[in-house]
Amino acid sequence: MTVAGSPMPLPPLRNVRVVDLGSAWAGPMAGHLLADMGAEVIKVESRARMDGMRLGRPMVGEDLAGGDRGLWPELQPVFHGLNRNKLSVTLNLRTEAGRGLLQQLASVSDVVLANFSPGVLERLGMDYASLRVVKRDIIVASMPAFGDSGPLRDMVAYAPIIQAMSGMMSLVGYAPDEGEPLVGELQAAWSDTVAALCAALGVVAALRRRNRTGQGQYVEAAHLEGTAALLGVPMLDYQMTGTIPVPPGNDDPDFAPHNNYPCAGDDTWIAIGVSTDQEWQALAGTIDSDRTDRVRLATDARFADQSSRWANRRALDEVIAEWTIELSPQQVTERLQAAGVAAMPVMNIADQFADPHLNARETYVEIDHPHAGAEMVYGVPWRFSGTPGAVRTPAPLLGQHNEYVLRQLLGIDGSRIDDLIAQQVVY
């Protein structure tokens, strides 16, 4: 559906209002995914307990003295990516009046989203049972680390702990036969993004059900469950064979070769994956055309079929590396892709911003922030033809939309708002 006289499609969640109580990574990301698709997402925050992603010296920008003018909470690039398209209202939830305003805001909203530990929503009066009293069809989505029940219920955890408890960290690193130490740690909050996706999808499913039945719903998106769901193959392997999973490195049982290979230049690499005999013949033919003085890969008995290539994959890696080391990643990519072989440079951050394919997919988009200026944030993570979603506005300034939320949505007059500010309820 599009606006009359305009080619711009209407965003699918345009009539949905979300109260976003999220902090750090997981909760805010779930909120911005909904905001990207058109929901009005109101981030509830306060100077009394600021979102940790706003804190600390900014990682970008030339205004290193910004903290002297109170600007540092507005200059954090990670916060900007996780909170684009949102509004901000500052409610001090340590005060009874602040909690009352929050509940009032929920009464005119469709969804309440939070990544608190179990029990926090209840203490705020924002749990599903309490909110159903003020709005019968409310949807509450919670993102506890280990779930609302069970022996680990009360554990407080960030992403690294979730990734360790799920078993994921034990699978990160090189294969044992490569003689490298266990890597273990992931360099990104992987489980936070998984929980955010689960929560956002759960909210959309609950909204669809509400629209059909008129009933609200409680959605639990536990970090541990979402992360463990990604480990189905090693878990089933252990259950069926008793084999304790080990790090696979870059190996994939359905591909051979499947690895990163060194190229000409300083620390430059190419990723290559082959899954079929046709792809193998294309790879072998490309390499053989440059290696006329050596044994031809296409007729080497060690690599005759997928099974033998897998069994001899280390020897195959050495042969491929001897070829790639003489070429740039771009040269290898162009030649192999033209032959129908999956190949792509291993990119650093600068490479990603310059890559034409990622640019064509709008993997990163430019947004103009009132204090940080023009900056790049990651784009909408999917491509829909009819309802594509968009990054429309930068992350909000702290309390930027207090007037709209308090006066227009909640109907509070100006003198009362002034009193709330003086009492540090709106703070």
Side-chain angles (χ1 to χ4, degrees):
M1 182 178 182
T2 59
V3 179
S6 170
M8 293 298 294
L10 291 172
L13 300 181
R14 61 191 178 279
N15 296 320
V16 175
R17 180 175 295 134
V18 179
V19 177
D20 182 358
L21 298 172
S23 62
W25 197 297
M29 183 176 184
H32 93 60
L33 292 173
L34 299 173
D36 290 352
M37 303 309 291
E40 181 183 76
V41 178
I42 301 173
K43 182 175 180 65
V44 178
E45 49 187 338
S46 172
R47 292 171 178 82
R49 189 181 184 277
M50 202 177 296
D51 187 336
M53 286 297 180
R54 282 195 180 273
L55 302 176
R57 182 185 289 270
M59 291 182 284
V60 296
E62 300 177 357
D63 186 12
L64 297 182
D68 298 335
R69 297 188 297 278
L71 288 183
W72 282 6
E74 313 294 359
L75 300 177
Q76 306 302 327
V78 176
F79 181 90
H80 295 170
L82 292 169
N83 292 280
R84 78 282 189 94
N85 288 336
K86 297 183 185 179
L87 312 181
S88 171
V89 62
T90 48
L91 299 180
N92 186 354
L93 302 185
R94 293 177 177 174
T95 67
E96 184 177 352
R99 295 190 293 272
L101 290 172
L102 177 60
Q103 194 171 82
Q104 189 178 346
L105 178 59
S107 72
V108 295
S109 301
D110 301 282
V111 178
V112 172
L113 175 68
N115 60 323
F116 295 139
S117 300
V120 175
L121 284 177
E122 288 86 344
R123 292 192 290 275
L124 291 174
M126 296 292 289
D127 57 294
Y128 182 55
S130 299
L131 289 181
R132 287 186 68 188
V133 176
V134 299
K135 193 171 194 296
R136 179 182 57 83
D137 62 351
I138 194 70
I139 294 167
V140 177
S142 179
M143 306 167 67
F146 296 99
D148 288 323
S149 61
L152 302 180
R153 174 184 185 274
D154 295 322
M155 284 188 64
V156 178
Y158 286 98
I161 296 175
I162 299 294
Q163 289 155 191
M165 294 290 286
S166 69
M168 177 176 283
M169 280 190 184
S170 69
L171 301 178
V172 177
Y174 298 96
D177 62 358
E178 295 188 46
E180 298 285 348
L182 177 69
V183 175
E185 178 64 271
L186 292 166
Q187 296 303 307
W190 186 268
S191 65
D192 278 357
T193 62
V194 172
L197 288 164
C198 291
L201 181 59
V203 166
V204 171
L207 285 167
R208 186 170 185 269
R209 178 177 180 269
R210 186 206 63 177
N211 293 344
R212 293 202 321 267
T213 67
Q215 298 177 0
Q217 195 168 4
Y218 176 68
V219 176
E220 180 195 288
H223 291 227
L224 183 66
E225 291 181 355
T227 306
L230 300 176
L231 306 177
V233 171
M235 287 184 175
L236 286 173
D237 189 21
Y238 175 74
Q239 290 177 347
M240 297 175 68
T241 68
T243 302
I244 297 176
V246 296
N250 289 324
D251 287 343
D252 187 302
D254 296 323
F255 290 76
H258 187 275
N259 214 332
N260 296 329
Y261 301 92
C263 294
D266 182 24
D267 196 25
T268 60
W269 300 76
I270 184 76
I272 300 173
V274 169
S275 61
T276 68
D277 288 339
Q278 181 180 2
E279 292 171 359
W280 164 249
Q281 289 299 327
L283 173 65
T286 302
I287 296 177
D288 286 343
S289 66
D290 286 348
R291 292 162 41 94
T292 56
D293 59 333
R294 305 185 188 183
V295 176
R296 292 179 58 80
L297 274 178
T299 57
D300 193 319
R302 295 175 298 172
F303 314 129
D305 54 34
Q306 202 277 343
S307 178
S308 59
R309 289 193 293 274
W310 171 261
N312 295 290
R313 62 190 181 280
R314 297 293 175 252
L316 179 55
D317 285 343
E318 292 180 4
V319 175
I320 296 174
E322 291 175 356
W323 174 66
T324 60
I325 195 65
E326 298 177 355
L327 303 170
S328 71
Q330 291 71 29
Q331 289 175 314
V332 179
T333 298
E334 291 171 2
R335 295 180 64 176
L336 291 187
Q337 286 189 2
V341 178
M344 198 68 184
V346 178
M347 300 183 193
N348 57 31
I349 297 298
D351 294 335
Q352 292 179 45
F353 282 111
D355 183 70
H357 176 75
L358 295 182
N359 286 330
R361 302 284 294 180
E362 297 182 333
T363 302
Y364 302 98
V365 296
E366 186 174 293
I367 198 77
D368 189 34
H369 188 275
H371 289 309
E375 62 177 347
M376 302 296 288
V377 298
Y378 59 89
V380 180
W382 41 66
R383 302 284 290 180
F384 294 154
S385 58
T387 54
V391 180
R392 301 175 302 278
T393 60
L397 305 180
L398 189 60
Q400 179 179 348
H401 303 94
N402 284 350
E403 181 77 9
Y404 164 73
V405 173
L406 298 173
R407 187 184 292 269
Q408 295 188 39
L409 295 186
L410 303 187
I412 303 174
D413 63 40
S415 61
R416 175 58 178 156
I417 293 175
D418 291 340
D419 289 341
L420 292 170
I421 294 173
Q423 298 163 16
Q424 292 191 349
V425 174
V426 176
Y427 175 66

